Amino acid sequence: MIVKDYTEMSKLAADAVVGLLESKPAAVLGLATGSTPIGLYEELVQRYHHGLDFSQVTTFNLDEYYGLASDHPTSYHYYMQQHLFQYLNIPATSINIPNGATPEPAGECRSYEAKIAKVGGIDLQVLGIGTNGHIGFNEPGTPFGNTTSLVNLAPATIEANSRFFERREDVPRQALSMGIRSIMNCRRIVLLANGENKANAIAAAVEGPISETLPASVLQLHPDCTFILDQAAAKNLTHSRG
Ligand code: GLP
C-alpha cells in the first residue's frame, strides 16, 4: 500500500494492530525499532488513551545490540521503554526482547525461540527495512533458514545506525536477532518504510529476485505480508499498487 506520508503510514499500521486486538485481545505482537515505527507507537499510545487494552498482549522484539545492557540509552530495551512500553498496560512479564548483555548468546537465542513457540507464535510482526534490505538485523547473505542468532552488522548498518550513538566506534558490531525463518513463521507481517533512502531497498525487495543478498526479498514468499510505504519509499517501484 502506498500512502501520502509518514502520518498515514503510521495510522494504517496502528489500524492493523487495533484490528488484531479487537479480534484477539491476547494477541502476540512482534515489534521493531529504528526511527520508522516511532509514529506507529505514538498512534498506539493515543489509541490506548482512547480505550484500547493491551493487558493480555505479549510482545517479542526483533533484535537487540549485543553487549549493551538493557538500561543503556541506545539499547533497544531502552528505546521500547521510551517510545511505547512506559505508556501502555502490557505486563512487564509479557514483554520479550533478546538480552544483549547475556554471557551465553547461543543459549539466549535458543530460549528466545522457545518462548515464541510456547505462546503459539507471533500473530503480527512489524518490520522496518535497512537501506541494504536487511530485516531485523539479518544482513545481506544471511541464510533464509536461520532462527534467532548472534549476527554481525554490515558496515552500511553500522554507518546508518551511528546517528543514534555519540561516536561511530560506539556502535556495537554484533546483535542478537530473530532470524529470517523466525520472521517468516509469523502469521502476518506489516513492513513499514518511509523516505527516499529506502526506495532502492523497497524496489529490490518487492520486484527483484528472491535472494539472500537482499533479505527482505524473502517476504515475497510470505502468504500474508503487507508493505505500507510513503510516496518517497515507493518511488522506484515500477508496478505501484495503491
Ligand atoms: C535497524 C533495525 C531494523 C530497522 C532498521 C531501519 O538496523 N535493526 O529493525 O528496520 O534499523 O531503521 P530506521 O527505521 O531507523 O531506518
Side-chain angles (χ1 to χ4, degrees):
M1 294 169 135
I2 300 167
V3 297
K4 190 170 77 191
D5 55 20
Y6 183 77
T7 307
E8 286 301 308
M9 179 197 81
S10 305
K11 284 190 174 153
L12 219 54
D15 289 346
V17 174
V18 172
L20 172 65
L21 295 190
E22 278 170 1
S23 64
K24 188 176 180 185
V28 181
L29 296 179
L31 300 175
T33 49
S35 17
T36 309
I38 289 177
L40 158 65
Y41 296 154
E42 287 171 355
E43 265 302 312
L44 290 180
V45 171
Q46 289 308 316
R47 296 182 195 209
Y48 169 68
H49 290 312
H50 288 94
L52 184 65
D53 179 31
F54 287 82
S55 64
Q56 297 179 65
V57 166
T58 299
T59 66
F60 285 90
N61 263 79
L62 280 170
D63 46 17
E64 178 58 287
Y65 288 112
Y66 184 53
L68 291 193
S70 56
D71 60 353
H72 193 285
T74 48
S75 75
Y76 287 163
H77 277 78
Y78 194 88
Y79 167 105
M80 289 307 299
Q81 206 52 42
Q82 290 299 309
H83 291 291
L84 190 66
F85 295 147
Q86 66 166 320
Y87 302 109
L88 304 183
N89 64 339
I90 306 175
T93 48
S94 304
I95 291 172
N96 301 280
I97 307 177
N99 173 14
T102 179
E104 275 201 64
E108 171 68 15
C109 293
R110 268 195 308 275
S111 88
Y112 203 67
E113 285 289 330
K115 278 190 231 166
I116 296 173
K118 197 172 169 203
V119 297
I122 292 170
D123 291 303
L124 172 63
Q125 176 67 55
V126 176
L127 291 179
I129 186 169
T131 50
N132 62 0
H134 76 229
I135 47 177
F137 266 133
N138 296 288
E139 300 286 18
T142 307
F144 284 166
N146 272 20
T147 55
T148 304
S149 318
L150 176 63
V151 297
N152 296 321
L153 305 192
T157 302
I158 294 170
E159 188 57 47
N161 291 3
S162 64
R163 68 189 194 278
F164 298 112
F165 292 79
E166 228 166 80
R167 297 169 309 168
R168 194 180 186 281
E169 307 86 86
D170 297 336
V171 185
R173 283 356 190 204
Q174 290 182 300
L176 302 180
S177 178
M178 277 169 57
I180 299 287
R181 192 196 298 177
S182 335
I183 292 170
M184 290 298 278
N185 281 341
C186 301
R187 282 185 275 285
R188 182 163 184 223
I189 295 175
V190 172
L191 184 145
L192 308 179
N194 67 291
E196 205 172 336
N197 64 331
K198 300 292 172 69
N200 286 338
I202 288 297
V206 176
E207 295 175 345
I210 299 169
S211 157
E212 288 175 353
T213 58
L214 202 296
S217 65
V218 75
L219 299 172
Q220 294 176 34
L221 300 173
H222 193 280
D224 192 358
C225 175
T226 307
F227 281 53
I228 308 179
L229 311 169
D230 78 346
Q231 307 275 347
K235 83 177 181 45
N236 292 348
L237 291 172
T238 18
H239 308 288
S240 300
R241 281 158 254 187

